[in-house]
Amino acid sequence: MTNRLELLSAIADVLRNAGSVALCGHIMPDGDSLGSVLALGLALRRMGKRVQLLSPDPLPDQYLNLLPGAAEIQLELQGEWPEVLVALDCSDPERLGRFAPLLNSFNTVVIIDHHAGGIDFGHFYLNDAQSPATGELVYELLRALPADIDAAIALCIYVSINTDTGAFRYGLVRPATHRIIAALMETGIDTGWINRQLYEEQPLVSLQVLSEALKTLTVSSCGRLASMYIARETLNRLNARDEHADGVISYPRTIKGVELAMFFRELADGKWKVSFRSKYFLDVNKLASQFGGGGHYRASGCTVEGKLADVRRQVTEAALAALENEQK
Ligand code: 5GP
Ligand code: MN
């Protein structure tokens, strides 16, 4: 089934006919995965469906306090086994974390995603790598159902699109994105307030993490690669959780002349989570996939095992080679 409208309508049929549905986003949840899960979840509940809202990892406080229904998101399935699982913003089954082994136990699995090079691991697969956020695809699905988009649902979709586009700055933003945003605003959501919650109400510890990370900033001799890291020890000393390092990667990319920014964060198990961000031309999805990760053309990530010095050397070599090969 290649036609997008047919696919949307087939997914809408599946959801209309289901009695119970589970909705799940990805590990280390972000605004797009959570906003998408909640927007679709709230809409299906209003249609009378029994809905379980799932996340493989706990939610960052910021989203817990902002998104309607976020407090109902569970880390485990409970009670009735849902007929349908909808995976949102997940480019491969591993991104479902603890829920990945359960995939075969649902009658129907629907995937709604916008990652480049995503894997089809369901019965229905809606993937559009040109879409700036999964939230845009959820909006289209709600129109296809059809479902009413009230202010609570609008807020969730607004947060999805806003956060995955860096507040509407990134290249994938298209006229349709702004048309959707306009329609969401018509529901009466207060976008000024939402943006202040997203960008101007950080806990102090996030800035302390940023300050520590900036101390490690290095720029390659060619001036195009900027790199920073934060060790677990430092995060522990600051009493910081993973979510407090979330915005750090956006800083090294802002340096004039830098095409690629990398941020190494030590995970609780000692592995290193690497985030990549490029500015104009470098395909960082390709770069991350060399290390078993993935993502988008301009934002991607992977997890690498080893000592920091080895991991940085290995990843930096690959990054410089990619910059050399794809130079524009
Ligand atoms: P971040 O650096 O913010 O964690 O992730 C940037 C983008 O890359 C997100 O879209 C995220 O889904 C994707 N991503 C991050 N880490 C991984 C990974 O280990 N595997 C895959 N497939 N995608 C990742
Ligand atoms: Mn996304």
Side-chain angles (χ1 to χ4, degrees):
M1 205 179 315
T2 48
N3 180 298
R4 185 192 186 91
L5 287 176
E6 274 175 29
L7 184 53
L8 276 166
S9 135
I11 295 172
D13 280 345
V14 167
L15 295 175
R16 266 196 310 268
N17 292 329
S20 57
V21 182
L23 305 170
C24 188
H26 57 70
I27 49 173
M28 300 183 205
D30 63 8
D32 189 26
S33 69
L34 294 170
S36 296
V37 163
L38 285 164
L40 186 54
L42 293 175
L44 292 175
R45 277 205 181 144
R46 274 165 211 168
M47 292 168 69
K49 310 295 173 192
R50 299 180 300 282
V51 175
Q52 295 203 44
L53 305 165
L54 302 173
S55 171
D57 287 325
L59 273 58
D61 279 350
Q62 185 186 35
Y63 296 119
L64 204 50
N65 297 329
L66 175 62
L67 295 171
E72 291 172 53
I73 294 182
Q74 312 270 356
L75 299 176
E76 304 290 345
L77 273 159
Q78 280 167 3
E80 177 193 20
W81 201 261
E83 296 154 39
V84 178
L85 173 75
V86 186
L88 294 131
D89 207 31
C90 292
S91 54
D92 78 48
E94 279 181 22
R95 305 284 292 162
L96 284 168
R98 63 177 72 204
F99 298 109
L102 308 179
L103 268 172
N104 289 331
S105 54
F106 298 94
N107 290 342
T108 310
V109 174
V110 176
I111 292 147
I112 302 175
D113 183 39
H114 71 131
H115 286 90
I119 299 170
D120 176 359
F121 57 93
H123 304 96
F124 294 86
Y125 183 55
L126 175 60
N127 175 291
D128 178 3
Q130 295 309 312
S131 183
T134 298
E136 268 203 38
L137 301 172
V138 168
Y139 179 85
E140 284 181 50
L141 178 59
L142 295 185
R143 297 288 302 268
L145 270 166
D148 244 11
I149 298 180
D150 63 12
I153 294 172
L155 192 159
C156 295
I157 301 177
Y158 182 84
V159 168
S160 289
I161 301 175
N162 181 313
T163 53
D164 251 31
T165 57
F168 312 106
R169 285 176 300 153
Y170 299 154
L172 286 178
V173 172
R174 48 195 176 177
T177 310
H178 288 294
R179 278 188 214 107
I180 293 171
I181 295 299
L184 299 175
M185 289 180 78
E186 308 263 332
T187 67
I189 54 171
D190 184 346
T191 54
W193 178 83
I194 298 168
N195 278 287
R196 286 192 293 279
Q197 303 312 303
L198 288 172
Y199 303 110
E200 294 177 38
E201 289 290 356
Q202 295 187 70
L204 175 60
V205 65
S206 292
L207 271 83
Q208 291 166 332
V209 169
L210 173 63
S211 158
E212 290 297 329
L214 284 170
K215 288 179 193 163
T216 73
L217 174 66
T218 54
V219 178
S220 62
S221 55
C222 65
R224 291 183 305 177
L225 173 62
S227 169
M228 307 200 304
Y229 66 85
I230 196 131
R232 202 76 218 163
E233 202 179 25
T234 313
L235 291 170
N236 290 344
R237 175 166 53 76
L238 293 172
N239 254 325
R241 293 193 298 274
D242 290 325
E243 68 194 72
H244 299 128
D246 273 354
V248 167
I249 181 66
S250 60
Y251 289 86
R253 182 169 60 179
T254 63
I255 301 166
K256 195 171 169 61
V258 163
E259 168 61 21
L260 171 63
M262 309 193 298
F263 179 51
F264 299 79
R265 174 165 58 86
E266 192 175 2
L267 300 173
D269 60 7
K271 292 179 186 163
W272 290 87
K273 166 79 205 290
V274 192
S275 290
F276 299 101
R277 300 289 187 272
S278 64
K279 199 153 43 184
Y280 293 108
F281 62 84
L282 192 75
D283 180 351
V284 292
N285 172 50
K286 212 160 92 185
L287 178 58
S289 63
Q290 289 179 40
F291 298 94
H296 308 282
Y297 301 108
R298 300 283 172 265
S300 68
C302 61
T303 302
V304 185
E305 230 173 313
K307 290 212 172 75
L308 175 63
D310 297 334
V311 171
R312 281 182 88 195
R313 189 176 332 107
Q314 209 185 336
V315 175
T316 302
E317 268 171 27
L320 288 170
L323 280 166
E324 198 60 36
N325 291 337
E326 291 189 37
Q327 188 171 6
K328 291 234 170 74

